[in-house]
């Protein structure tokens, strides 16, 4: 049939921009056979007898652009029998984009350049490279004053990202449920309190006998099991009162339904003070990495041959990390906490195993380093901290980190 027997639909609601139209023209030029399988759906204009498309206007324009004089009649399918109502319905439904593209699948199975040539608008896969950096928060002179009490819940929000902080006990399942609010964490990064009889904590007794200390950790692990659907990083530092307990705790985590993945060695660059004549000076800590049993089967880890190779971990692409992490032990401004770790430590774990807007749970938030890292990396952090003074430190530290944060205490916006 002659191309002049067709005309474009004057009431077509779908437009196509110049660059995409050029891609369509090129596509039809290189692959005209697709018209056989996807013909234009046309009706006859009763006034002039010409056919116009209900579906395929842009293809008709592309054929005209390519100077077609004649086309196979199989490229056209008539729908004259449809009512006007059905014709209007078809025009809309034919132009709807039903569902969404799996960009990850397209990247894996298709050539991105070809997809763009074929007219698919591809997102920019070059994500902004974010890093967790040390902040400049300093505890005010004169100490920490607060009116925070156990049970206070804070929501800390900015740009669609909301963190939660509960002044509470991470061994208390009701407190954990209140903090998590029915949500599941994609990752946990935590370091339990030391048990070194040094009076480091005002709200935690740090001279427990071995059995008590192990049970304390188990209680926390049981609650983590209820709210985690991903990776667990458990930083264990065996010390004066913990000659062997760290091994028992590591084994208990496995018994609670977690699969052991990896042991990370954190070189702190500075040595811990010797607290016993029977100990060597310690310059590193162990970080045990687990996955909950449901997540474990979905994890793929590949041998890293060079530092330039990309490693896939937990079905996510990340920078290459070995199991040897070298970071200075702590933020100098927060040494009064005595046991805080650098922001970059949870930052490495976050970057390695989570995606933007994923949720982290931290049962011992301390001075807030994990939440600081999460915020910089655009992840959510739900944290528990038993000491009201350090809950205040976390709130103040987050406000200094991001002055645009909106902070609610028990549902009321704070001034």
């Amino acid at each position: 049939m002659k191309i002049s027997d067709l005309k474009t639909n004057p009431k077509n609601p779908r437009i196509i921009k110049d660059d995409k139209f050029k891609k369509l023209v090129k596509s039809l030029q290189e692959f005209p056979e697709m018209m056989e399988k996807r013909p234009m759906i046309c009706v006859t204009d009763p006034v002039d007898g010409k056919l116009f498309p209900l579906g395929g206007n842009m293809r008709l324009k592309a054929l005209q652009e390519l100077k077609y004089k004649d086309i196979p009649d199989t490229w056209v399918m008539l729908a004259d029998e449809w009512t006007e109502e059905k014709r209007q319905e078809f025009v809309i439904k034919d132009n709807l984009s039903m569902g969404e593209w799996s960009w990850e699948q397209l990247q894996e199975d298709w050539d991105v350049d070809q997809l763009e040539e074929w007219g698919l608008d591809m997102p920019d896969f070059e994500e902004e490279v974010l890093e967790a950096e040390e902040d400049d928060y300093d505890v005010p002179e004169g100490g920490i004053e607060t009116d925070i009490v156990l049970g206070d819940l804070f929501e800390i929000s900015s740009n669609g990202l909301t963190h939660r902080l509960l002044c509470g006990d991470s061994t208390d399942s009701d407190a954990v449920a209140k903090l998590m609010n029915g949500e599941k964490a994609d990752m946990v990064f935590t370091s339990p309190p030391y048990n070194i009889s040094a009076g480091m904590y005002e709200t935690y007794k740090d001279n427990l006998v071995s059995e008590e200390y192990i049970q304390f950790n188990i209680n926390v692990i049981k609650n983590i099991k209820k709210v985690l659907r991903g990776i667990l990083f458990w930083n264990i530092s065996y010390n004066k009162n913990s000659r062997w307990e760290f091994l028992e705790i590591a084994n208990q985590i496995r018994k609670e339904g977690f699969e052991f993945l990896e042991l990370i060695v954190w070189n702190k660059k500075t040595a811990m003070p010797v607290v016993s004549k029977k100990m060597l000076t310690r310059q590193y800590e162990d970080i045990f990495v687990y996955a909950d049993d449901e997540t474990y089967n979905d994890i793929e880890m590949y041998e890293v041959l060079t530092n330039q190779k990309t490693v896939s971990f937990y079905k996510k692409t990340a920078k290459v990390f070995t199991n040897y992490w070298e970071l200075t032990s702590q933020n100098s401004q927060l040494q009064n906490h005595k046991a805080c770790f650098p922001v970059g430590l949870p930052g490495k774990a976050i970057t390695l195993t989570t995606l933007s807007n994923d949720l982290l749970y931290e049962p011992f938030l301390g001075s807030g380093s994990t939440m600081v890292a999460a915020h910089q990396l655009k992840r959510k952090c739900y944290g528990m901290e038993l000491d009201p003074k350090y809950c205040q430190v976390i709130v103040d530290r987050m406000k200094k980190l991001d002055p645009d944060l909106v902070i609610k205490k028990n549902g009321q916006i704070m001034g």
Side-chain angles (χ1 to χ4, degrees):
M1 62 188 305
K2 294 185 179 297
I3 198 79
S4 59
D5 290 337
L6 289 92
K7 66 178 183 180
T8 56
N9 187 344
K11 295 183 179 180
N12 178 44
R14 188 72 179 263
I15 60 173
I16 185 169
K17 295 183 178 180
D18 289 344
D19 57 337
K20 293 197 70 174
F21 180 67
K22 290 177 182 178
K23 290 177 181 178
L24 176 59
V25 170
K26 183 180 179 183
S27 177
L28 282 177
Q29 185 177 29
E30 296 175 348
F31 188 22
E33 293 86 357
M34 74 176 182
M35 291 295 300
E36 296 279 353
K37 303 299 183 184
R38 192 170 179 228
M40 295 176 285
I41 308 300
C42 297
V43 295
T44 306
D45 188 329
V47 176
D48 58 17
K50 289 193 174 185
L51 306 180
F52 63 86
L54 300 176
N57 267 279
M58 295 303 108
R59 280 172 282 153
L60 176 56
K61 284 188 175 183
L63 293 171
Q64 292 169 339
E65 179 74 16
L66 290 168
K67 308 299 183 186
Y68 271 80
K69 300 296 183 184
D70 301 291
I71 59 172
D73 55 12
T74 52
W75 290 12
V76 174
M77 182 178 291
L78 286 177
D80 282 343
E81 74 278 11
W82 285 355
T83 64
E84 183 63 26
E85 183 179 2
K86 282 193 174 294
R87 294 179 184 186
Q88 290 180 331
E89 182 180 352
F90 177 81
V91 168
I92 298 302
K93 289 186 174 180
D94 184 57
N95 285 297
L96 281 177
S97 177
M98 306 297 284
E100 298 180 357
W101 291 107
S102 170
W103 301 116
E104 186 178 81
Q105 198 68 44
L106 286 172
Q107 268 193 296
E108 185 173 333
D109 296 335
W110 301 77
D111 183 282
V112 173
D113 291 336
Q114 274 194 324
L115 290 173
E116 290 181 337
E117 283 186 14
W118 296 342
L120 185 61
D121 285 332
M122 300 293 290
D124 184 4
F125 291 111
E126 293 296 325
E127 293 186 8
E128 179 185 2
V129 177
L130 301 175
E131 291 188 9
E133 300 176 348
E134 293 297 333
D135 55 328
D136 59 354
Y137 177 77
D138 194 0
V139 173
E141 293 183 11
I144 306 162
E145 296 183 2
T146 186
D147 60 357
I148 296 173
V149 297
L150 284 175
D152 282 345
L153 176 66
F154 296 84
E155 296 168 282
I156 304 170
S157 305
S158 176
N159 296 323
L161 203 65
T162 298
H163 313 290
R164 289 166 68 90
L165 164 66
L166 180 65
C167 185
D169 184 350
S170 55
T171 66
D172 181 346
S173 59
D174 290 336
V176 174
K178 178 180 178 180
L179 171 67
M180 298 305 293
N181 196 32
E183 296 187 65
K184 290 272 191 176
D186 299 289
M187 191 263 270
V188 169
F189 186 95
T190 194
S191 178
Y194 295 151
N195 193 42
I196 59 176
S197 302
M200 292 178 65
Y201 310 98
E202 293 184 15
T203 53
Y204 166 76
K205 184 181 177 183
D206 63 352
N207 63 345
L208 302 175
V209 298
S210 292
E211 290 74 15
E212 290 176 325
Y213 185 63
I214 291 170
Q215 189 59 51
F216 166 77
N217 281 268
I218 291 173
N219 292 340
V220 175
I221 293 161
K222 285 180 180 291
N223 286 331
I224 290 174
K225 180 63 178 173
K226 296 175 184 177
V227 300
L228 178 65
R229 60 179 177 195
I231 308 295
L232 166 62
F233 289 82
W234 190 270
N235 174 212
I236 302 177
S237 176
Y238 54 102
N239 42 60
K240 182 179 178 181
N241 284 7
S242 305
R243 307 300 297 173
W244 52 269
E245 289 94 326
F246 82 105
L247 292 174
E248 179 61 26
I249 293 166
N251 192 42
Q252 286 293 335
I253 295 175
R254 187 184 58 81
K255 289 182 178 180
E256 291 299 327
F258 292 93
E259 297 285 349
F260 175 74
L261 289 179
E262 184 59 87
L263 174 64
I264 293 169
V265 173
W266 169 30
N267 178 2
K268 303 163 69 173
K269 296 188 179 180
T270 56
M272 295 172 59
V274 176
V275 294
S276 169
K277 292 181 179 179
K278 297 180 181 180
M279 294 171 61
L280 297 175
T281 299
R282 291 189 174 137
Q283 191 170 320
Y284 83 92
E285 292 187 11
D286 300 300
I287 302 176
F288 289 79
V289 187
Y290 300 85
D292 74 285
D293 45 13
E294 293 182 7
T295 304
Y296 179 75
N297 291 330
D298 293 331
I299 294 173
E300 296 176 343
M301 297 178 68
Y302 298 107
E303 182 181 3
V304 181
L305 302 178
T306 74
N307 286 336
Q308 303 303 314
K309 184 176 178 181
T310 301
V311 60
S312 177
F313 187 103
Y314 190 25
K315 287 191 171 180
K316 297 172 172 65
T317 300
K319 291 180 180 178
V320 171
F321 290 133
T322 70
N323 69 336
Y324 179 76
W325 295 4
E326 194 171 17
L327 295 99
T328 302
S329 60
Q330 62 185 1
N331 181 333
S332 60
Q333 287 104 343
L334 288 165
Q335 286 195 19
N336 63 310
H337 184 272
K338 301 175 184 175
C340 64
F341 42 67
V343 172
L345 188 65
K348 276 181 173 284
I350 291 167
T351 302
L352 185 61
T353 60
T354 66
L355 294 173
S356 180
N357 211 44
D358 274 358
L359 174 59
L360 285 57
Y361 168 49
E362 164 61 284
F364 303 106
L365 194 51
S367 62
S369 297
T370 300
M371 186 175 287
V372 168
H375 189 71
Q376 292 178 341
L377 296 171
K378 298 183 180 179
R379 274 73 163 176
K380 296 178 290 186
C381 178
Y382 289 8
M384 188 83 76
E385 173 51 39
L386 185 62
D387 190 332
K389 287 186 177 180
Y390 278 95
C391 287
Q392 187 67 57
V393 167
I394 295 163
V395 171
D396 294 343
R397 189 175 179 186
M398 290 299 292
K399 282 196 294 187
K400 185 168 185 182
L401 178 72
D402 183 354
D404 294 330
L405 284 169
V406 175
I407 301 178
K408 292 182 180 179
K409 178 181 178 182
N410 301 323
Q412 301 296 316
I413 297 178
M414 296 179 65

